[in-house]
Amino acid sequence: MSKRMGFKEDFLWGGAVAANQVEGAYDVDGKGLSVQDVTPDGAMGRITDGPTEDNLKLQAIDFYHHYKEDIALFAEMGYKVFRTSIAWSRIFPNGDDEEPNEAGLQFYDDVFDECLKYGIEPLVTLSHYETPLHLSEKYDGWKDRRMIGFFEKYARTVFNRYKDKVKYWLTFNEINSVLHMPFISGGIKTPKEELSDQELYQAVHHELVASASVTKIAHEINPEFQVGCMVLAMPTYPISSNPEDVLAAKDAENTNYAFTDIHVRGQYPGHLLRFFAENDIAIQFAEGDAELLKNHTVDFISFSYYMSVAAAAHPEEYSSGAGNVIGGIENPHLEKSEWGWAIDPVGLRIVLNDFYDRYQVPLFIVENGLGAKDQLIQNENGQYTVEDDYRIDYMQQHLAQAKEAVKDGVDLMGYTAWGCIDLVSASTAQMSKRYGFIYVDRNDDGSGSFNRYKKKSFNWYKKVIETNGENL
Ligand code: BG6
């Protein structure tokens, strides 16, 4: 048996975005409002009564009208895959409508056709922090079991429509984040402080059942479909070798792993059942839920990876890590990004190995990258660009660790760099937190030409893809 020493031949290289962070056109061609249209300050910020002018996402980078130009640039980099999401409220403006909105469906036909023209496979997230606002206001989002039916109808509609265009699907973006940001992630309007664990975990259950149910529907519609779950991966290290700290880290990881446990093993893990028992949480299972979870598990695990954290038995004795939604304490061994996110390439190797050891299913890194401030300059030929060596360094180091994990035996399907074109940040709703290989001229105050410019990292990534990651 020969050992794999690099990325597989058909490795899916590409980039990732989410509809709400790039498309703009928030009320165009029949689109309804989503939770993003009322959160101008980002994931944890205020919720406004309606769309407000200071909300950059309303226009974002206007991918809605620039997708041809943008996809051509992705093709120039050699992408094999492009991850985006479908804005649910373009298809069902209210979420509980009888009929879908044809103009919304047509838009994604056009986007996917444009990808396929260049041999780029679309990788599509069904729900990326974009719950239709009406579902949030009328049903309190995923707290209500009726959401499962609305989501099934939406998923069935897009699976049927794009069954010959899209093969790779993800159900919920970072499904584990609903515990931390119930509104943006789960459309739950009740403020987090007022939600009981019972309500929160019941909402989680609804999402998990919905995820299994649409996985079933997907496979019925096209047995070739590959359906993945998507989780926010966050290795948690013990702050010391004190067994109590080690246990604290394990507990934190278990809470996070519960989501993949259920998606892959098809049942709730023991530690979560214990947590329920000790906290008087009784999850209401409807008839058939347990069978759905058991029999319709995912084909692969996809995840985002940006950073790791540390944990301690007595966290109050340490300073807490900034910037991440899951929380944890600061790791003194790691440098941080301008937004306080710990930079930990080795953590990517660790998390890849952990996932693979635990489940032995294919893995897909569908988000990774560095949010940083960029400076647009003119080079000697008069062209605008950004000398983003810091971004190249970050990605180079992370990809090197991903390659190590492949050598360790991990089955890795692909890598899509987050925010491959600059977009509006999810946590802070800023434009200035840039991730892209392509600079978009738009500023935090909303000004800008929306012109696109290639950064230095554009050519670097092109080479990486050309050499299938041999040349990092
Ligand atoms: C993930 C989300 O949490 O991280 C993305 O799936 C988000 O939507 C990305 O953009 C980076 O976070 P941020 O807050 O820097 O945009």
Side-chain angles (χ1 to χ4, degrees):
M1 234 176 98
S2 68
K3 187 87 202 80
R4 181 175 292 288
M5 296 312 283
F7 299 108
K8 36 170 128 173
E9 260 170 44
D10 54 354
F11 193 77
L12 291 165
W13 293 100
V17 300
N20 71 86
Q21 292 172 265
V22 294
E23 286 175 4
Y26 80 101
D27 61 351
V28 170
D29 292 339
K31 179 181 168 292
L33 297 180
S34 86
V35 293
Q36 292 292 343
D37 299 319
V38 295
T39 46
D41 305 329
M44 313 284 204
R46 79 202 137 104
I47 302 175
T48 53
D49 291 337
T52 50
E53 257 181 41
D54 58 343
N55 188 339
L56 289 181
K57 290 169 280 190
L58 305 185
Q59 257 192 295
I61 60 160
D62 199 25
F63 179 77
Y64 197 79
H65 299 107
H66 288 74
Y67 68 91
K68 288 192 179 170
E69 176 191 345
D70 295 341
I71 293 169
L73 288 167
F74 302 154
E76 193 182 328
M77 274 186 273
Y79 284 16
K80 317 281 183 223
V81 65
F82 171 52
R83 175 183 176 223
T84 189
S85 62
I86 294 177
W88 184 351
S89 65
R90 273 196 205 288
I91 310 302
F92 288 97
N94 295 298
D96 59 359
D97 318 69
E98 274 304 309
E99 296 298 328
N101 169 32
E102 176 55 31
L105 287 165
Q106 186 58 48
F107 171 66
Y108 293 104
D109 265 319
D110 296 344
V111 169
F112 302 148
D113 285 344
E114 200 64 22
C115 289
L116 297 171
K117 178 170 125 186
Y118 298 104
I120 299 174
E121 290 271 3
L123 163 63
V124 176
T125 319
L126 290 169
S127 180
H128 192 132
Y129 299 166
E130 291 153 336
T131 308
L133 188 61
H134 172 76
L135 295 181
S136 172
E137 286 174 339
K138 183 161 177 198
Y139 304 91
D140 213 2
W142 284 96
K143 248 178 81 187
D144 192 311
R145 193 175 167 99
R146 284 173 290 180
M147 288 290 282
I148 300 175
F150 303 139
F151 190 65
E152 287 170 339
K153 183 168 173 183
Y154 156 61
R156 186 174 275 114
T157 304
V158 296
F159 290 155
N160 273 317
R161 177 81 172 213
Y162 309 121
K163 64 176 182 298
D164 300 321
K165 297 184 181 176
V166 178
K167 177 175 169 199
Y168 299 100
W169 297 91
L170 306 178
T171 53
F172 293 94
N173 182 64
E174 300 190 331
I175 186 167
N176 45 337
S177 67
V178 67
L179 293 178
H180 311 276
M181 17 185 232
F183 180 63
I184 218 75
S185 180
I188 302 172
K189 206 152 186 200
T190 304
K192 188 167 174 240
E193 320 69 74
E194 291 169 27
L195 278 174
S196 64
D197 279 346
Q198 168 71 44
E199 290 170 315
L200 207 45
Y201 274 98
Q202 188 64 49
V204 166
H205 179 72
H206 296 151
E207 286 198 42
L208 289 164
V209 170
S211 184
S213 172
V214 303
T215 302
K216 174 173 185 270
I217 294 169
H219 289 143
E220 284 164 2
I221 291 177
N222 184 347
E224 299 286 300
F225 277 173
Q226 292 277 302
V227 185
C229 56
M230 197 302 195
V231 292
L232 191 169
M234 180 90 74
T236 307
Y237 308 136
I239 196 76
S240 80
S241 52
N242 180 333
E244 296 297 332
D245 289 337
V246 176
L247 202 58
K250 213 165 187 45
D251 278 351
E253 289 210 321
N254 273 341
T255 307
N256 222 13
Y257 279 131
F259 291 81
T260 35
D261 287 349
I262 298 164
H263 271 106
V264 180
R265 296 173 171 162
Q267 58 188 15
Y268 279 65
H271 62 84
L272 192 55
L273 297 177
R274 175 180 179 168
F275 172 79
F276 291 164
E278 289 177 351
N279 291 280
D280 292 327
I281 297 170
I283 301 299
Q284 302 298 311
F285 271 62
E287 215 187 308
D289 281 3
E291 290 70 28
L292 259 181
L293 295 177
K294 184 86 218 148
N295 298 327
H296 300 284
T297 54
V298 287
D299 300 308
F300 65 96
I301 294 174
S302 77
F303 64 92
S304 61
Y305 176 75
Y306 294 94
M307 59 182 291
S308 61
V309 285
H314 298 287
E316 64 288 354
E317 292 169 12
Y318 303 88
S319 59
S320 61
N324 70 83
V325 295
I326 291 195
I329 62 177
E330 217 167 72
N331 183 338
H333 302 285
L334 301 174
E335 300 283 322
K336 296 192 209 87
S337 78
E338 289 168 286
W339 272 264
W341 293 21
I343 299 177
D344 180 14
V346 175
L348 179 58
R349 179 176 178 186
I350 293 172
V351 90
L352 281 163
N353 272 285
D354 280 357
F355 273 133
Y356 200 66
D357 289 347
R358 202 166 170 123
Y359 307 114
Q360 293 90 46
V361 297
L363 305 178
F364 203 144
I365 304 166
V366 294
E367 284 188 33
N368 175 240
L370 178 69
K373 289 190 184 127
D374 285 340
Q375 210 194 335
L376 193 64
I377 54 159
Q378 247 177 323
N379 66 17
E380 59 282 8
N381 308 321
Q383 285 159 336
Y384 285 100
T385 188
V386 176
E387 300 276 337
D388 56 344
D389 294 281
Y390 39 90
R391 184 167 293 110
I392 295 174
D393 278 359
Y394 179 101
M395 301 198 91
Q396 189 275 336
Q397 290 175 37
H398 283 76
L399 283 170
Q401 292 299 324
K403 201 197 276 185
E404 289 303 313
V406 169
K407 291 184 195 168
D408 294 335
V410 169
D411 181 0
L412 186 58
M413 297 166 68
Y415 176 92
T416 54
W418 177 251
C420 51
I421 179 163
D422 289 348
L423 42 66
V424 184
S425 151
S427 59
T428 65
Q430 292 167 296
M431 262 315 295
S432 54
K433 192 177 187 192
R434 297 175 182 273
Y435 285 87
F437 304 116
I438 301 162
Y439 185 93
V440 179
D441 178 25
R442 194 176 188 215
N443 307 306
D444 285 346
D445 62 6
S447 64
S449 63
F450 292 79
N451 286 345
R452 276 70 168 145
Y453 302 107
K454 294 176 199 170
K455 302 182 193 176
K456 186 174 178 185
S457 54
F458 184 100
N459 288 323
W460 171 80
Y461 195 48
K462 184 171 191 269
K463 280 243 157 50
V464 169
I465 299 177
E466 250 165 38
T467 62
N468 198 30
E470 279 306 302
N471 203 347
L472 288 177

